[in-house]
Amino acid sequence: MAASFFARVPSIPYPPEQGGRWSPVTSTLDWCEENYVVTQYAAEIVNTLTNLLFMYLAAKGIRSCLKHGHDTVFLVAFIGYLLVGTGSFLFHATLKYPMQLVDELSMIYTTCLMNYATFSYGKSRLYSTLLAVGLISLAVFITGYYHYLQDPDFHQNAYAILTAIVLLRAMYVMEVNIRPKFRSKEREAADPRPHGDAAVKAREDQKDLKTLGLMWKMITFGLSIFLGGFLVWHLDNEHCSKLIKWRRAIGLPWGFALEGHGWWHLMTGTGAYFYIVWGIWLRHYLNYRQDEFELVWPNFWTVPDVVRKTTSTHVDSARGVKKEL
């Protein structure tokens, strides 16, 4: 049915794969998208242009951090996120080894930064310094060893492990600091909100539980998109020859929809953005500043943002819905 449908719609035949402005390929990876079939100035045009989403979301995140005064570590994280997108843009446009390193190693460095933000919170200066030295040493080791091995599996495994560690740690921190039944006595005592009255405390606890529920929705949604990107990336690698055959059968521009690595960029870029925004929101809760900020996330088809509250508007943090006062 799909084949007969595409046979009836106008399309442009795929040109043959050829050399281009940045030939020859020097990277250790050459993805499933055929090289220089659209323009001689970009080896993999879909894989190149889908990184524009990274750049847009990074700019949005940087602007939010500067405008609303989020912790500096998240501003740096968004700058790292921008570097990931820019490096990937240049890598897929040129398929040059130096650009491959910029793309892949910036992923490692940004994830190490998020590990520092997560594990250093609330710790002593000595602990934070030792953690920073340890993570910098780890990043240097991964850089040197990866350049020596030039094995993509090593990079992918290192990135996956670092991502899993920071995500699980952030989930743990969220639960033990926000869920009322898990909060320590020290955390309760440090809470500046009035909690001497049982009724007031019950209302605040209920509010925290609603917010926690929304946080888990963010995590589930963002993680599902991120892992879905990994699945599409895997299928693109495993069934590349079949996908090329299908793309050539249906022609341009419809064949672009079967560029799995491009979908990986869109999906993992969105999932990573959700994680950083969640981290910002969680940090404000950990700093007892949740009443100063609000999450704006009207629905699943929009990207969230954490903004400083104003006197003219109010957002129900449990639902992310803005209301005029």
Side-chain angles (χ1 to χ4, degrees):
M1 183 179 295
S4 61
F5 170 77
F6 282 107
R8 294 195 298 269
V9 298
S11 63
I12 302 172
Y14 265 81
E17 190 173 26
Q18 56 192 311
R21 172 67 179 79
W22 312 107
S23 297
V25 173
T26 61
S27 62
T28 62
L29 292 169
D30 191 352
W31 302 100
C32 188
E33 183 176 1
E34 295 180 85
N35 296 342
Y36 298 106
V37 296
V38 174
T39 172
Q40 64 173 328
Y41 295 103
E44 299 172 343
I45 188 64
V46 175
N47 290 349
T48 299
L49 295 181
T50 47
N51 283 290
L52 294 176
L53 179 68
F54 274 86
M55 299 179 187
Y56 166 73
L57 292 178
K60 179 179 176 65
I62 291 170
R63 179 179 180 274
S64 180
C65 288
L66 294 174
K67 180 179 180 180
H68 301 293
H70 304 317
D71 285 5
T72 303
V73 68
F74 296 106
L75 173 62
V76 178
F78 274 122
I79 293 173
Y81 179 88
L82 176 62
L83 183 60
V84 170
T86 304
S88 184
F89 183 98
L90 295 173
F91 167 42
H92 289 289
T94 65
L95 291 179
K96 293 296 186 182
Y97 181 65
M99 295 301 101
Q100 178 184 350
L101 292 181
V102 173
D103 172 24
E104 295 180 326
L105 293 177
S106 59
M107 295 166 63
I108 297 293
Y109 302 155
T110 303
T111 309
C112 284
L113 177 65
M114 294 309 297
N115 269 274
Y116 176 79
T118 301
F119 281 93
S120 66
Y121 179 79
K123 302 297 183 181
S124 67
R125 182 181 297 273
L126 176 60
Y127 178 95
S128 299
T129 301
L130 292 175
L131 177 64
V133 171
L135 288 171
I136 291 172
S137 300
L138 176 62
V140 170
F141 167 75
I142 291 174
T143 300
Y145 197 57
Y146 179 48
H147 180 61
Y148 169 74
L149 288 180
Q150 297 192 4
D151 181 1
D153 288 338
F154 171 74
H155 166 266
Q156 292 158 14
N157 291 334
Y159 176 67
I161 291 171
L162 286 169
T163 300
I165 289 173
V166 70
L167 183 61
L168 292 174
R169 172 64 180 179
M171 290 177 179
Y172 169 80
V173 169
M174 177 184 70
E175 280 288 325
V176 299
N177 286 280
I178 298 180
R179 191 173 297 278
K181 70 177 181 179
F182 292 152
R183 283 200 296 252
S184 66
K185 293 181 179 179
E186 291 78 12
R187 177 76 184 174
E188 291 278 9
D191 192 342
R193 297 177 299 180
H195 50 268
D197 184 272
V200 173
K201 186 179 186 305
R203 285 196 299 269
E204 293 295 338
D205 286 349
Q206 190 62 31
K207 181 180 176 182
D208 289 344
L209 286 172
K210 289 182 179 180
T211 299
L212 193 62
L214 184 55
M215 283 188 175
W216 274 113
K217 287 182 182 178
M218 281 187 67
I219 295 168
T220 302
F221 187 72
L223 187 58
S224 297
I225 294 175
F226 194 88
L227 294 179
F230 266 102
L231 176 61
V232 173
W233 174 81
H234 174 73
L235 293 175
D236 189 64
N237 291 337
E238 290 295 316
H239 303 286
C240 180
S241 59
K242 184 179 294 186
L243 288 170
I244 291 176
K245 186 182 299 183
W246 288 352
R247 289 198 295 260
R248 289 194 164 273
I250 64 179
L252 293 169
W254 319 111
F256 289 155
L258 296 178
E259 296 289 357
H261 199 83
W263 284 108
W264 141 268
H265 287 160
L266 298 176
M267 297 171 76
T268 56
T270 301
Y273 174 84
F274 267 71
Y275 170 74
I276 299 175
V277 173
W278 166 53
I280 291 172
W281 195 23
L282 176 60
R283 178 62 65 90
H284 287 312
Y285 257 83
L286 297 179
N287 290 336
Y288 303 106
R289 300 183 65 192
Q290 62 268 37
D291 293 332
E292 301 175 33
F293 295 88
E294 56 197 19
L295 176 73
V296 179
W297 186 33
N299 52 60
F300 288 115
W301 308 111
T302 59
V303 292
D305 193 12
V306 176
V307 303
R308 188 180 293 275
K309 289 183 180 179
T310 65
T311 55
S312 60
T313 60
H314 170 69
V315 170
D316 183 346
S317 62
R319 294 182 297 164
V321 178
K322 182 174 289 189
K323 300 177 180 179
E324 296 294 329
L325 293 180

